[in-house]
Structure formats: structure tokens, C-alpha cells
């Protein structure tokens, strides 16, 4: 559960008990639920439930059964929560404006979780606990809402920041490619590209490709740090280790593979600035 961040589009839109909007990407839910800080929060939540005993079940069960009740109930609640989020995602795909209150989602998950847990506890103790009596259910529901609010306001934001940071670094670490026809060429293997009539000649570290395409379409797939266009017919990668030189009265770029690339006078200053930044 998180507000929309950057280009991360939410699949689920919720609103908490205090009216704050919560947006969720379904694929991120496992990362949030299994984060080590979340696991620590689970442990603290179980301790709170054991200590507070909001449904006052300790008067009906022995302590071992009471302890097992809250632990099992918490586990079942979590086990049902993710499928419930999936149902919400499917509903909001069909009804995009549907906004689901988090307390409503909690009730829909809490009822079956309590039913199952109470049935198990009754089978062990031989009792018949009416957990859905208002004096038992309402304090538990409010306790759950407090715990969920604390988690979403104070624990989850840090988890989101770290999770997104890890994913962003992983994406940045992946090799970037450019598409030329049916070819997908790693940018870190490009040396230089030359346009001749309706074709571009692409020199890579270990091969050469000729393809009918426009140089501008290739350059549009690169970033400023990837390379530079010294001439309207050329693009040079930083991997080619270009250096500025002169041939008579004109400036050129001399590349590592001895290729000499012309530099347009109107682009000389831009080339010098780009080379200086690289140094």
C-alpha cells in the first residue's frame, strides 16, 4: 500500500480509516509483506494482541490456547489479505472509479479469519466462544485498525522507499539496448554510427551492421551521457574514446579504432563541453 510514486502505476486504490488515500501495486505486495521491518511489526503486533487480548478470550481458553489463538489468527488474516487485494484489483479493473475503504477490506478478511481460528481453538478446548458478539468483535476490529494505521503511516513509507530504491538500482544495472529493425543492440557495445543515404552503418565492438533506418531514430533511443552527434551524419559513443583533433583547418574526432569523424563547426562548442564533462 502506497501512494503513487514516479511512474509506478497502482493497481489498487484504497482509503484508510482517517481518509488518507492509499495506492497499491499488486506486484509489490509480497515485497512489502515479507520485508524484515514488516516481519518485526508482525511480531510486535502479536505481542500487542496477546497483552491487550481485545476480545477477552483468555477467560475462556487456557494461556497456551490463547497464545496459539492470536498467533494462528494473525497468520490466517495475512494469508487471506493478499487474495482480498487481488479481488479488489479485479473489481477496480472493471470499475476504475471504485475506491475501497481499508476498514471494509479488513472486515471482509477478519470475519473468515476469526471463524476459522475460533473453530480451531474451540476444537482444542471444547468450548463454544461467540467471537462475533459486539463486545468481542468491535474491540478487536478497532485494535486491527490502529495497528494497520500505524503500519501504513510510520512503517510502510520507509519500506516503500527502500524497496523502490533497490528496484530502481536493479533496472539501472541492466544493460540498455537500442532497437534497429529486428536487432536489439547493447548500448555499451556501440562505437559509432554513420548515415549514408537511406542506410545507417553501425560499428559495434565486434561486428558491423548496415540497416535501412534514420540516424535520428537511433539517437532518440540514447541518453546524453551515451554519446554525441558531432555531425548530422554521425553519432559517436563514449565507448569509442573519442578525442578532439585537427585535420588542416577542420576539427575531427579521432576514435579508439582510428576512425576519423568530421565535426561540424556549429557543433564544436557542444563537442568540447561534452568531452570536458567526460574528463
Amino acid at each position: 500500500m502506497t501512494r503513487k510514486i514516479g511512474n509506478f502505476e497502482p493497481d489498487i486504490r484504497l482509503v484508510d480509516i482517517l481518509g488518507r488515500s492509499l495506492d497499491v501495486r499488486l506486484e509489490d505486495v509480497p515485497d512489502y509483506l515479507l520485508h524484515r521491518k514488516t516481519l518485526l511489526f508482525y511480531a510486535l503486533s502479536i505481542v500487542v494482541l496477546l497483552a491487550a487480548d481485545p476480545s477477552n478470550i483468555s477467560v475462556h481458553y487456557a494461556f497456551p490456547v490463547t497464545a496459539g489463538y492470536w498467533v494462528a489468527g494473525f497468520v490466517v488474516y495475512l494469508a487471506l489479505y493478499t487474495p482480498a487485494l487481488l479481488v479488489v484489483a479485479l473489481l477496480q479493473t472493471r470499475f476504475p472509479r471504485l475506491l475501497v475503504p481499508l476498514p471494509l477490506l479488513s472486515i471482509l478478511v477478519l470475519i473468515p479469519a476469526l471463524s476459522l481460528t475460533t473453530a480451531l481453538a474451540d476444537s482444542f478446548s471444547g468450548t463454544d466462544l461467540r467471537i462475533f458478539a459486539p463486545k468481542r468483535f468491535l474491540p478487536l476490529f478497532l485494535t486491527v485498525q490502529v495497528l494497520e494505521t500505524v503500519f501504513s503511516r510510520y512503517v510502510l513509507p520507509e519500506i516503500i522507499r527502500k524497496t523502490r530504491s533497490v528496484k530502481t538500482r536493479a533496472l539501472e544495472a541492466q544493460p540498455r539496448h537500442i532497437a534497429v529493425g529486428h536487432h536489439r543492440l547493447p548500448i555499451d557495445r556501440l562505437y559509432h554510427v554513420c548515415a549514408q543515404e537511406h542506410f545507417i552503418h553501425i560499428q559495434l565492438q565486434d561486428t558491423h551492421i548496415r540497416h535501412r533506418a534514420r540516424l535520428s531514430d537511433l539517437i532518440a533511443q540514447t541518453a546524453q551521457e551515451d554519446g554525441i552527434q558531432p555531425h548530422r551524419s554521425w553519432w559517436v559513443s563514449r565507448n569509442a574514446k573519442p578525442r578532439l583533433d585537427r585535420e588542416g583547418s577542420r576539427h575531427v574526432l579521432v576514435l579508439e579504432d582510428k576512425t576519423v569523424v568530421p565535426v561540424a563547426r556549429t557543433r564544436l562548442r557542444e563537442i568540447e563541453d561534452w568531452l570536458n564533462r567526460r574528463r
Side-chain angles (χ1 to χ4, degrees):
M1 290 169 285
T2 176
R3 284 176 283 182
K4 179 179 175 181
I5 298 179
N7 294 322
F8 291 88
E9 294 289 343
D11 301 305
I12 305 167
R13 295 182 303 115
L14 305 169
V15 59
D16 69 11
I17 197 170
L18 299 178
R20 182 182 181 183
S21 177
L22 301 169
D23 295 338
V24 185
R25 279 208 322 169
L26 197 59
E27 67 180 79
D28 290 337
V29 170
D31 293 326
Y32 299 157
L33 294 182
L34 298 176
H35 193 277
R36 62 181 184 83
K37 288 191 175 181
T38 305
L39 297 177
L40 177 60
F41 187 81
Y42 293 163
L44 293 175
S45 297
I46 291 173
V47 170
V48 169
L49 291 171
L50 282 170
D53 190 21
S55 297
N56 197 30
I57 64 170
S58 59
V59 300
H60 297 275
Y61 299 141
F63 178 77
V65 177
T66 299
Y69 181 95
W70 289 120
V71 173
F74 195 88
V75 171
V76 173
Y77 182 83
L78 290 177
L80 295 175
Y81 208 93
T82 299
L85 289 175
L86 178 58
V87 171
V88 172
L90 293 174
L91 286 173
Q92 290 182 333
T93 299
R94 186 174 179 84
F95 306 102
R97 295 186 179 182
L98 178 65
L99 187 63
V100 177
L102 190 56
L104 175 61
L105 184 63
S106 296
I107 289 177
L108 295 177
V109 175
L110 193 59
I111 289 174
L114 281 177
S115 298
L116 179 58
T117 307
T118 303
L120 290 173
D122 285 346
S123 67
F124 276 103
S125 62
T127 60
D128 184 14
L129 180 63
R130 297 181 180 275
I131 192 66
F132 293 107
K135 66 179 181 179
R136 298 189 189 280
F137 183 77
L138 184 58
L140 175 59
F141 172 71
L142 293 177
T143 302
V144 170
Q145 290 307 299
V146 169
L147 292 173
E148 287 188 347
T149 301
V150 170
F151 179 74
S152 64
R153 292 294 181 96
Y154 302 105
V155 180
L156 189 56
E158 179 67 12
I159 295 174
I160 291 172
R161 186 186 66 80
K162 291 186 176 181
T163 301
R164 292 285 169 83
S165 177
V166 169
K167 290 188 174 183
T168 299
R169 288 198 300 269
L171 288 173
E172 291 174 347
Q174 294 178 355
R176 292 169 48 232
H177 295 75
I178 60 170
V180 180
H182 63 278
H183 299 285
R184 291 187 75 249
L185 308 175
I187 286 183
D188 59 6
R189 288 179 54 208
L190 286 178
Y191 264 34
H192 52 78
V193 184
C194 177
Q196 294 180 355
E197 296 181 350
H198 299 295
F199 292 85
I200 56 174
H201 299 261
I202 306 171
Q203 182 62 52
L204 293 95
Q205 290 178 351
D206 51 3
T207 189
H208 178 271
I209 295 175
R210 179 176 181 266
H211 199 278
R212 188 179 181 89
R214 295 186 302 179
L215 180 63
S216 59
D217 292 339
L218 182 146
I219 295 175
Q221 300 178 63
T222 66
Q224 187 177 18
E225 64 270 17
D226 295 327
I228 191 72
Q229 186 179 11
H231 187 274
R232 62 186 177 88
S233 300
W234 285 84
W235 181 84
V236 174
S237 169
R238 64 180 181 181
N239 302 318
K241 299 180 181 179
R243 60 179 177 83
L244 191 61
D245 204 345
R246 294 182 69 97
E247 279 191 350
S249 61
R250 65 173 187 160
H251 285 86
V252 296
L253 285 178
V254 180
L255 311 184
E256 186 180 41
D257 64 357
K258 308 304 180 185
T259 300
V260 177
V261 179
V263 175
R265 291 184 179 180
T266 56
R267 303 188 183 189
L268 178 59
R269 184 62 178 270
E270 180 185 354
I271 298 297
E272 290 175 335
D273 290 344
W274 183 78
L275 290 172
N276 287 334
R277 287 197 300 272
R278 289 189 65 250
R279 296 191 189 101

